[in-house]
Amino acid sequence: MLIKAAGGGLVRAFTGVLVLLAAVLTGCGPGGDPPSQRPAPTSWWKPEPGQFSNWDWQIDEPYDLSARRDMYDLDLFDLAPAGSQLRYRDGEAIDLPPGPLAGMIDVLHARVPRPVVICYLDTGAYEHYRPDAPRFPGHRAHATEIPDRPEPPKPGSVIGWNTGWEEERWLDIRKASRGAFAEIIWARLDLARRIGCDGVEPDQNNLLGNAPGFAVTLADQLSWYREVAAQAHRRGLSVGMKNGHDQRGAAAALVDVFDWALPEECAEHGECAELEVFIKRGKAVFAVDYEGSVDPATACRAHRRHGFDGLIKDEPPTARHRRQCSR
């Protein structure tokens, strides 16, 4: 998250393609591993502006998925069914506990018309509370043992300063450091593919301007965004550009590698125009501004003016609040 002081007919048109995609993603059954010889799909969800305007974003409890939506954006680990694992090239496998939404991908995909399920995950931040946290260089048993501002990260650690969220830290995304942790992130994308996510919302890649603890450049950040998008596509997953639009020209530099965008607070900070390049390319922008931080009517006018499929949500996004900015 940024740290700063389609109608049913169109959905049905995508149903056949998405059902085929789900079959390839999930292999022999719900939560099952795809056969190793089966390649990842070369086609994935590519929403156009207005096609999936009836969407919702819930990545924290309480959840309520009873309302029929064209697209749901939900937390990857919360969706993990029983028996899920994170797997690595060294042979280690981390067993994951069933999430509070375990099995919901299959439930949602069984609806007619079939909705899209996007899985939220951090790709640019370390989360001390996740099962894979011990694999990150610099991990300590207690989060308070990890240096935080103004103390610099320890040599060899890829864990930087806090992102503003509890027990969450920026990762050192510079090219020279990625090899120490990238496989951990790609294992999360593998999990997304295995459990049937149609795409991913990779978060916390926008280190610039957020005091990450590392001397990250714009070139570093753009390069990492591109790598995350490429890795998602290698697994047949749709992928959205999450934030980063506060750096002038970044959206224009990345629009070719992402299928859609999900900016936070662009109306509040007057940054929505940066995302118009997605609309001009026929790619949807799922904009979110937050209640209590911005006048909802003003934010919705900004979303509509730029052609976005906008929402006003609570922070973090739950089932408690949702206002759709009608087009």
Side-chain angles (χ1 to χ4, degrees), residues 14 78 128-129 173 200 230 243 275 296 318 321:
F14 279 81
D78 285 353
H128 189 269
Y129 49 89
I173 63 170
V200 289
N243 293 329
L275 279 304
T318 73
H321 184 82

Side-chain angles (χ1 to χ4, degrees), residues 136-140 146-147 153-160 172 174 177 180 214:
F136 289 89
H139 169 79
R140 295 292 180 270
I146 304 173
K154 297 293 185 184
S157 174
V158 300
I159 302 171
D172 187 355
R174 294 174 296 181
S177 303
F214 302 106

Side-chain angles (χ1 to χ4, degrees), residues 8 97 99 140 166 177 182 185 207 217 236 259 285 298 312:
R140 295 292 180 270
E166 188 176 0
S177 303
I185 303 300
L207 283 71
T217 67
D259 305 303
V285 175
T298 300
I312 308 300

Side-chain angles (χ1 to χ4, degrees), residues 31 137 199 287 309:
D309 296 298

